[in-house]
Amino acid sequence: MGGRQTGHRPNSGISRRAFLYASAVGAGTALFTACTPEGSHDAEPSRPKAKVGKGSQTKPLPVPPRFHEAPDLAEMVKAGTLPPVEERLPARPYVVPHNWLERGKYGGTLRLLIDNTASAVMKEYMYGHSPLRWLNDAVDVGPGLAESWEANADQSEWTLHFREGLRWSDGHPCTTADVMFWWEDMVLDENHPEVAPAELRSARGTLATLSAPDELTLVIGFDTSAPLTLFHLANWVKAGVGPTWIAPKHYLRRFHPRYTDGLGEAWAETFEQRRNFAVNPECPTLTGWRLSSYSEGRAMTWERNPYYWCVSPEGDQLPYIDRINVTAVDDREVAKLKVQEGETDYVHGPFIGLGLGDVSTLQRTRTRHRLDLLLWNSGSGCGSLFFFNLNYKDEPVRRVLNEPKFRQALSHAIDRSEIQKAVFFDTGVKTTGTYRFQATDATADPEGRQVFERWRDSYVAYDTAKAKKLLDEIGVVDSDGDGVRELPDGSPLRIRLDQTADAPRDGHQIADFFVKYWRAIGLDVVRNPVPPAQWSVKWQAGELMSYTAWLYPSMPVHECMVSPELLVPVGNALSAAFWAPLYANYDMIRNTDQEKEVAEVAPYDRRPPSMRPPPGDPVERLWRLYDQAKVETDTLKRYQLVWEMIKIHIAEGPFYMGLVADSPVVAMAHEDLGNVPRPENLHVGGLICPWQHPTPAAYDPEAFFWRNPQDH
């Protein structure tokens, strides 16, 4: 294989350049500002109530010489119903590396609110199934189930070394056979709905090969360089949020026809129900807590996983908290009332619809709920996202939507200062709409920072006179004198603000602002609520004109190429909602036999609908740069290709519009709950919006603890 490029060994780490961009969360926080260990571990002097450590260690911490466990587990060991803690942990467990942690206490129950018991948000609390993990708000990649890795010289082959002694929550060994079960019996089985994730397709679109030479080694091979593999392996919590990646073969084989006869044609439906560890208490898991009871639509209880493979720096097997009681509340106002009345101990605002507009009310009732307000950075480069469907089916309208001056006019017509004050409470930074400024592309060197600043400021200025002039220049004028602008051919032009019917309150508020601003420059603008279940199909079919007020967009967590869907229309599971869906679908078949098969079929009649950009279109040029960047192993050269892509956005965009970047997001934690990071503890103040950086999972809630567990 030639020379090898070492990634992350047990005693060395991948570290990225420190961020140059200061988070705006500090200013936002100012606006809203109005222990002796116990259990089975050795006694130590009590520490201060809150540590001031910042960020996380990038090199794995040493394995503690001794391990300790919760008192209830110690009793089970004493009774002979559970193996000793040393036998339940891997030979080298994951040592939680956050600098803000203090040694905790075992015990107590954590109460949470959730929108629905079947919701995926509960999985966002637990990072147990991922081969690798994000650290420092996605600046760094750290180990996970895999404790080390390496790549060959051209990064076309990656080898992961899994921890020896990993166990599922039922005590059964966890090995690379469980990864291969996911790959061979789920992804590659045409009767199972799971598909290969984007990171396991090469730059040519061909599937990677996965092999397991032994129980601890996984080899991933590509037919091109795959330099972004590490970052994709850290994305998502996995196991149902993002790709699965690992599944308990010893349990699930009973529900798969390869191993069991007589399951019938509907086996996959049963299999899916059985493998969901968040609704099926029988399914083994690798998370810190395991589901112990489930009442559909009402409540669930999670209890400590005695085989959880993570420990504190002092050797305490996590989690500290005994159990989690979860109550489902599907009404936002009811959830808010429960928070005010002290019926929860931790709040992740986006999960139950709480935002900055609720802060004053929540602060007034603090004596009842005793929750501290945390304003973590959203990590969003846009704050709220708006974009047109550049593949809209109506051809005369589509031609106008694809005119850069049309989109530039509408951006200049937006008074972002008014929205910043009314919706974001004067926090954050006004933006045309970009990726986040903490992305490593933006912090690599001064050139990167300059390109991002030009992108942010390109069409941010509020200038209605300029907006009207740009519309005049492309022939979108009031040709019949009725006060409303028409299409260049004189036919009516109606701007429809399509929006999911269940959009949050802030989304409706922002949409109303858009109506006001764009009517002021002579456009006919209406709002159009769309049933959520119909959205994806209608969007990909070109039947929807715009995506309005997407408040929590998926944004890149490391560098732009890790989540390129907003930068360039490319085909994967995320792209269905972005600004050129038919181009994105075509990307999935370009340079393949399927491209030839659909050549004679009209774009909107294809399944799925797909369309090749016209010659010279900016998307065609973005694709060329993207094709180079995704195989470029030299990091700085890859960033430079991204900057060239951004320059196309500056010159011919905006392809999507943002409002306010880096606004805070509401999180709350009980005043007695320890190891919950404050914004000043986090590397860039937080990274909350993208589910690729799972929050709060990335901050290890298993290390949260009650200072007075007997009270909880």
Side-chain angles (χ1 to χ4, degrees):
M1 232 181 272
R4 300 194 71 81
Q5 184 174 20
T6 301
H8 198 306
R9 303 302 301 173
N11 60 354
S12 67
I14 291 178
S15 181
R16 295 312 230 175
R17 190 185 299 259
F19 280 134
L20 303 177
Y21 181 72
S23 170
V25 170
T29 304
L31 290 175
F32 303 114
T33 302
C35 94
T36 302
E38 62 183 32
S40 62
H41 56 60
D42 301 330
E44 291 183 353
S46 61
R47 295 188 178 186
K49 185 169 183 178
K51 288 189 68 175
V52 294
K54 187 179 183 70
S56 308
Q57 298 292 316
T58 57
K59 294 182 179 180
L61 299 183
V63 176
R66 293 183 57 195
F67 298 120
H68 316 283
E69 60 193 341
D72 61 334
L73 300 184
E75 288 297 319
M76 295 172 69
V77 173
K78 185 177 179 180
T81 59
L82 191 69
V85 63
E86 293 81 7
E87 297 179 17
R88 303 195 310 269
L89 287 168
R92 289 179 295 276
Y94 179 76
V95 184
V96 178
H98 310 309
N99 294 325
W100 63 80
L101 298 181
E102 58 181 301
R103 193 174 190 183
K105 301 178 181 181
Y106 286 115
T109 298
L110 186 72
R111 299 170 302 164
L112 298 178
L113 299 177
I114 194 172
D115 58 341
N116 188 295
T117 53
S119 171
V121 301
M122 192 60 210
K123 295 180 179 179
E124 285 289 281
Y125 283 88
M126 296 174 280
Y127 216 162
H129 296 91
S130 188
L132 303 178
R133 296 183 174 208
W134 289 118
L135 295 172
N136 291 317
D137 293 334
V139 179
D140 299 298
V141 173
L145 294 174
E147 63 179 346
S148 63
W149 60 83
E150 67 262 359
N152 64 353
D154 69 353
Q155 298 183 27
S156 63
E157 181 177 281
W158 293 85
T159 303
L160 305 180
H161 303 283
F162 282 68
R163 298 177 190 275
E164 180 183 358
L166 283 168
R167 293 182 180 273
W168 292 94
S169 57
D170 60 1
H172 195 281
C174 173
T175 70
T176 52
D178 296 304
V179 179
M180 296 306 296
F181 175 78
W182 162 70
W183 182 247
E184 294 175 347
D185 296 323
M186 294 169 63
V187 173
L188 299 184
D189 190 317
E190 62 181 17
N191 295 312
H192 191 277
E194 183 110 358
V195 297
E199 63 262 31
L200 290 180
R201 288 191 179 275
S202 75
R204 294 194 181 105
T206 55
L207 277 181
T209 60
L210 268 65
S211 61
D214 57 54
E215 291 187 343
L216 302 179
T217 307
L218 184 74
V219 180
I220 308 171
F222 299 89
D223 60 7
T224 64
S225 296
L228 302 173
T229 299
L230 288 185
F231 312 132
H232 288 299
L233 290 173
N235 269 350
W236 314 100
V237 290
K238 313 293 195 297
V241 179
T244 298
W245 262 99
I246 192 165
K249 179 179 180 178
H250 70 283
Y251 172 74
L252 291 175
R253 62 185 295 161
R254 291 181 285 166
F255 313 107
H256 196 291
R258 179 178 174 184
Y259 305 94
T260 306
D261 294 331
L263 294 179
E265 294 183 0
W267 70 268
E269 182 178 347
T270 299
F271 183 94
E272 285 299 282
Q273 294 170 350
R274 293 287 187 173
R275 82 177 182 99
N276 188 351
F277 69 95
V279 301
N280 175 20
E282 293 182 358
C283 184
T285 181
L286 296 169
T287 52
W289 293 275
R290 60 185 181 184
L291 187 67
S292 60
S293 68
Y294 182 80
S295 176
E296 184 174 359
R298 298 180 60 188
M300 61 177 82
T301 299
W302 297 71
E303 63 181 16
R304 176 185 288 109
N305 173 6
Y307 294 92
Y308 188 51
W309 47 278
C310 302
V311 301
S312 74
E314 295 84 5
D316 300 334
Q317 186 190 27
L318 300 174
Y320 282 123
I321 291 174
D322 292 339
R323 67 189 58 82
I324 301 176
N325 286 343
V326 184
T327 302
V329 182
D330 61 2
D331 185 284
R332 177 188 173 278
E333 291 304 319
V334 174
K336 181 178 175 181
L337 182 61
K338 285 184 175 291
V339 173
Q340 292 175 263
E341 294 303 317
E343 297 182 30
T344 186
D345 301 312
Y346 176 88
V347 174
H348 194 70
F351 290 170
I352 58 173
L354 296 185
L356 296 179
D358 301 305
V359 166
S360 59
T361 300
L362 294 171
Q363 289 293 74
R364 285 197 303 270
T365 55
R366 191 193 179 284
T367 55
R368 298 207 298 274
H369 57 65
R370 298 176 62 194
L371 300 176
D372 292 335
L373 175 67
L374 311 173
L375 291 172
W376 288 339
N377 190 353
S378 67
S380 172
C382 292
S384 178
L385 207 55
F386 171 87
F387 46 89
F388 286 111
N389 187 339
L390 298 193
N391 301 138
Y392 186 55
K393 202 168 186 178
D394 185 308
E395 185 176 359
V397 175
R398 184 171 72 247
R399 284 198 299 268
V400 167
L401 300 183
N402 277 272
E403 282 280 358
K405 288 184 178 181
F406 180 79
R407 301 190 302 273
Q408 292 162 15
L410 269 62
S411 184
H412 282 304
I414 297 171
D415 185 350
R416 289 172 172 83
S417 293
E418 183 178 26
I419 293 177
Q420 184 180 33
K421 181 177 181 179
V423 179
F424 298 97
F425 295 84
D426 280 330
T427 64
V429 179
K430 292 190 288 293
T431 179
T432 299
T434 72
Y435 279 25
R436 67 185 187 119
F437 264 65
Q438 300 95 330
T440 51
D441 320 59
T443 60
D445 66 10
E447 182 182 357
R449 175 60 185 261
Q450 183 183 51
V451 169
F452 270 71
E453 287 180 344
R454 286 174 54 205
W455 192 13
R456 177 193 66 198
D457 300 337
S458 53
Y459 305 104
V460 77
Y462 177 49
D463 189 336
T464 55
K466 185 172 185 177
K468 293 176 181 179
K469 183 174 183 294
L470 288 168
L471 293 177
D472 290 344
E473 290 173 0
I474 60 173
V476 179
V477 298
D478 177 14
S479 56
D480 60 7
D482 66 351
V484 178
R485 295 175 183 266
E486 282 79 39
L487 290 167
D489 64 4
S491 60
L493 170 61
R494 167 166 283 186
I495 303 302
R496 196 178 66 234
L497 300 185
D498 300 313
Q499 188 173 26
T500 55
D502 61 350
R505 180 187 59 187
D506 291 349
H508 290 289
Q509 188 178 6
I510 289 169
D512 286 339
F513 276 120
F514 288 168
V515 171
K516 179 179 75 169
Y517 298 145
W518 294 339
R519 284 178 177 172
I521 58 172
L523 293 171
D524 178 14
V525 188
V526 297
R527 295 187 55 185
N528 178 45
V530 179
Q534 300 177 15
W535 184 275
S536 180
V537 172
K538 285 180 172 290
W539 185 263
Q540 290 200 54
E543 296 174 9
L544 299 177
M545 184 185 294
S546 69
Y547 202 130
T548 307
W550 188 10
L551 284 175
Y552 297 108
S554 297
M555 299 297 283
V557 294
H558 182 75
E559 59 175 278
C560 294
M561 286 296 294
V562 178
S563 296
E565 302 86 9
L566 285 172
L567 191 66
V568 53
V570 291
N572 60 42
L574 290 176
S575 64
F578 295 152
W579 46 272
L582 273 75
Y583 293 162
N585 288 340
Y586 195 89
D587 170 70
M588 291 191 287
I589 64 172
R590 64 187 174 108
N591 303 320
T592 69
D593 291 340
Q594 192 176 354
E595 181 181 25
K596 300 173 184 176
E597 292 172 5
V598 302
E600 302 303 318
V601 181
Y604 295 96
D605 293 335
R606 298 169 184 170
R607 293 293 176 267
S610 66
M611 180 186 298
R612 186 183 185 93
D617 189 272
V619 169
E620 191 177 63
R621 286 175 276 130
L622 286 168
W623 275 351
R624 283 200 295 267
L625 292 165
Y626 172 70
D627 289 345
Q628 297 175 58
K630 63 186 176 182
V631 297
E632 178 55 67
T633 59
D634 183 297
T635 301
L636 186 56
K637 289 181 180 178
R638 185 167 68 247
Y639 290 170
Q640 289 170 335
L641 289 166
V642 168
W643 299 337
E644 292 303 311
M645 297 168 75
I646 290 174
K647 290 174 184 177
I648 293 175
H649 279 250
I650 295 171
E652 300 175 67
F655 297 106
Y656 62 91
M657 301 179 208
L659 298 171
V660 177
D662 281 320
S663 59
V665 170
V666 171
M668 304 180 79
H670 195 283
E671 62 188 9
D672 197 32
L673 194 61
N675 284 343
V676 182
R678 271 48 184 169
E680 60 269 20
N681 295 132
L682 300 175
H683 193 74
V684 290
L687 177 54
I688 310 307
C689 283
W691 279 44
Q692 295 99 314
H693 178 266
T695 309
Y699 305 144
D700 289 289
E702 295 84 0
F704 295 177
F705 71 97
W706 288 114
R707 300 186 188 282
N708 299 286
Q710 68 280 0
D711 297 336
H712 303 279

